[in-house]
Amino acid sequence: MERRNRTIVSEFFLLGLPIEPEQQNLFYALFLVMYLTTVLGNLIIIILIRLDSHLHTPMYLFLSNLSFSDLCFSSVTIPKLLQNMQSQVPSIPYGGCLTQMYFFLLFADLESFLLVAMAYDRYVAICFPLHYTTIMSPQLCLSLMALSWGLTTFISLLHTLLMARLSFCADNVIPHFFCDMSALLKLACSDIQINEMVIFILGGLAILINLKFMISFSKFSLLVWTLEESYHLFTSLLNLVACVML
């Protein structure tokens, strides 16, 4: 197999979104408004939960962390996208690219784990209402939070360190508006077999965890038969979904 020219890559060029030059300012304003709305909405949720003592419950603890994660997740990519839309050379330094990839993976995975924790909280509240405060103790909530942050930090750091060991070729153009891991692997000149194996293993474990919870919720939903229980189930889940969508 013919090797491509190996060079020391100091920066990557982000192609961004396929937007016509005459529509650049319109999309810039649109993305800016969407980003500011996301930041403001999540900040309002976090502040309200912090100020209102009635909202100091496990569900809203997870929700405030989810809002913080969503705020950070948006801030990882959108500001750089906006900057590159106004720049003649849409580039990002090598170190900045790896940093962006790390935080992108961190907050993307964290949102998934937090949603699982919130789903478990609703499962306990609906199926075991009399034991809810005992089961969802502050110790368990903090343990779930620490587990979510710890696992996502480990996963994102592992992917970043494995990416940092790779060497890259002269082609340093990323066909995205952020440093996507799959795009970086395609640019690598060295062997990426270990990276692919880790992606496969960790991705498989994440799918198994989510599948386990989906099966558990399928079982518990079959237990809810009476009209009153169905009403409480619907209102509880509706409130949760509304908060998450905000």
Side-chain angles (χ1 to χ4, degrees):
M1 182 171 152
E2 185 180 349
R3 292 175 178 245
R4 290 177 289 177
N5 249 350
R6 297 195 181 189
T7 57
I8 299 177
V9 174
S10 60
E11 63 180 0
F12 292 96
F13 293 94
L14 302 171
L15 291 185
L17 300 173
I19 301 175
E20 297 294 332
E22 58 271 13
Q23 298 178 338
Q24 195 87 353
N25 292 332
L26 174 63
F27 278 93
Y28 179 87
L30 178 63
F31 289 140
L32 179 60
V33 170
M34 291 173 61
Y35 174 66
L36 293 177
T37 303
T38 300
V39 171
L40 181 61
N42 285 306
L43 283 177
I44 289 175
I45 292 176
I46 294 172
I47 293 172
L48 288 178
I49 293 175
R50 184 73 177 175
L51 294 179
D52 193 344
S53 59
H54 296 93
L55 299 180
H56 293 175
T57 61
M59 186 186 80
Y60 289 103
L61 169 67
F62 296 135
L63 181 60
S64 62
N65 276 267
L66 182 65
S67 296
F68 175 76
S69 176
D70 186 56
L71 187 156
C72 294
F73 180 74
S74 302
S75 301
V76 169
T77 56
I78 302 302
K80 186 61 179 177
L81 169 64
L82 295 174
Q83 177 188 346
N84 286 342
M85 289 180 71
Q86 298 296 313
S87 174
Q88 298 296 327
V89 184
S91 63
I92 184 171
Y94 173 80
C97 187
L98 291 183
T99 303
Q100 187 185 62
M101 189 192 80
Y102 168 78
F103 284 108
F104 180 86
L105 294 174
L106 172 66
F107 293 114
D109 291 340
L110 181 60
E111 287 192 8
S112 300
F113 280 96
L114 288 175
L115 287 173
V116 171
M118 293 173 71
Y120 176 73
D121 172 75
R122 292 300 86 196
Y123 166 74
V124 174
I126 295 168
C127 290
F128 310 101
L130 299 180
H131 302 283
Y132 175 76
T133 54
T134 304
I135 298 175
M136 296 302 298
S137 62
Q139 292 80 5
L140 178 61
C141 294
L142 291 177
S143 297
L144 290 174
M145 292 299 308
L147 183 64
S148 299
W149 278 94
L151 285 176
T152 52
T153 300
F154 169 75
I155 292 172
S156 54
L157 184 60
L158 179 60
H159 284 306
T160 305
L161 292 177
L162 289 175
M163 185 67 69
R165 73 181 182 86
L166 300 178
S167 57
F168 294 89
C169 303
D171 184 12
N172 60 343
V173 178
I174 300 176
H176 297 290
F177 63 90
F178 68 98
C179 290
D180 181 50
M181 182 167 59
S182 60
L184 287 173
L185 289 176
K186 291 178 182 178
L187 297 178
C189 294
S190 46
D191 185 17
I192 61 173
Q193 186 175 0
I194 297 178
N195 299 69
E196 292 176 335
M197 181 179 65
V198 171
I199 292 173
F200 177 78
I201 294 174
L202 295 180
L205 289 175
I207 292 174
L208 286 176
I209 292 173
N210 288 324
L211 185 61
K212 176 179 174 58
F213 274 90
M214 286 176 61
I215 294 174
S216 299
F217 285 116
S218 298
K219 288 180 180 179
F220 105 82
S221 62
L222 294 175
L223 299 176
V224 184
W225 290 105
T226 66
L227 182 61
E228 183 180 0
E229 289 174 329
S230 299
Y231 172 76
H232 287 306
L233 170 65
F234 176 76
T235 54
S236 178
L237 294 181
L238 186 62
N239 292 335
L240 177 60
V241 170
C243 290
V244 171
M245 289 183 67
L246 286 175

